[in-house]
Amino acid sequence: MDLELRDKINTTLIEFFNEIMDLEEKAIITDEFKDITNNDMHIIAAIGLGEGNRMSVIAKKLNITVGSLTTSMNALVQKGYVVRQRSDKDRRVVNICLLEKGIAAYKHHEEFHERMTDALIAHMTTEELKTWVKSFEALHEFFYREAKH
């Protein structure tokens, strides 16, 4: 492969990831959600809408340990975004559920991702999108393999 092209790909990926992290934080941590972090917003997204999830499920989605999640979860409970709720089916199971504030944060985060996706789709043909998806699936596979080491 052309060394110049390889360097361009590397530089573009680095800039892309940095810009996404920076922009996402600016876009989703607004005055309404200034009491939480970008990391908290991703925890809220991992909890999801509905009946909630157990800590182990949330931690797995985020690729972190339950211990790492506990501190952040305690803060989200204290701030009124989530609640710990025992399952009616099995009282040993504790689900984390979004409260009204958490649901608003979840929807706000989803709207940002929808706008980001729509912006990409608006500027590419179906064939270009298929190529883009194939490329990012390969990148995703790389990250998955690296995380297993």
Side-chain angles (χ1 to χ4, degrees):
M1 173 185 276
D2 180 331
L3 200 55
E4 189 176 319
L5 181 58
R6 184 180 177 81
D7 286 345
K8 179 66 176 165
I9 291 169
N10 183 54
T11 301
T12 302
L13 284 172
I14 291 168
E15 290 173 358
F16 181 69
F17 287 122
N18 290 336
E19 287 171 5
I20 284 179
M21 295 302 289
D22 187 48
L23 178 62
E24 183 178 47
E25 187 166 352
K26 288 176 183 170
I28 63 178
I29 305 302
T30 60
D31 284 345
E32 184 179 2
F33 305 111
K34 65 183 173 212
D35 60 336
I36 60 174
T37 65
N38 201 24
N39 184 53
D40 292 335
M41 192 64 87
H42 288 118
I43 292 169
I44 289 168
I47 294 167
L49 300 176
E51 296 179 17
N53 277 307
R54 293 183 316 247
M55 290 281 285
S56 59
V57 172
I58 298 164
K60 186 174 183 178
K61 283 183 180 181
L62 296 169
N63 226 4
I64 61 174
T65 66
V66 172
S68 298
L69 180 60
T70 300
T71 303
S72 296
M73 197 60 72
N74 289 342
L76 287 170
V77 168
Q78 188 176 18
K79 293 173 186 175
Y81 284 87
V82 302
V83 65
R84 288 180 172 94
Q85 204 167 52
R86 291 216 177 267
S87 168
D88 292 334
K89 297 174 187 163
D90 185 343
R91 301 297 294 162
R92 297 170 296 174
V93 174
V94 177
N95 286 319
I96 307 297
C97 302
L98 298 179
L99 294 171
E100 187 175 329
K101 222 171 147 178
I103 293 169
Y106 177 91
K107 289 179 179 178
H108 178 68
H109 184 242
E110 283 297 301
E111 287 169 6
F112 169 76
H113 282 273
E114 286 176 15
R115 288 193 321 270
M116 184 173 59
T117 302
D118 290 345
L120 177 69
I121 291 170
H123 296 284
M124 298 176 87
T125 66
T126 300
E127 287 306 309
E128 290 170 330
L129 287 169
K130 287 178 183 178
T131 301
W132 188 91
V133 168
K134 185 177 178 183
S135 299
F136 273 75
E137 284 175 341
L139 192 57
H140 181 262
E141 181 63 29
F142 166 77
F143 288 136
Y144 178 80
R145 283 190 317 269
E146 287 295 309
K148 295 296 177 190
H149 284 110

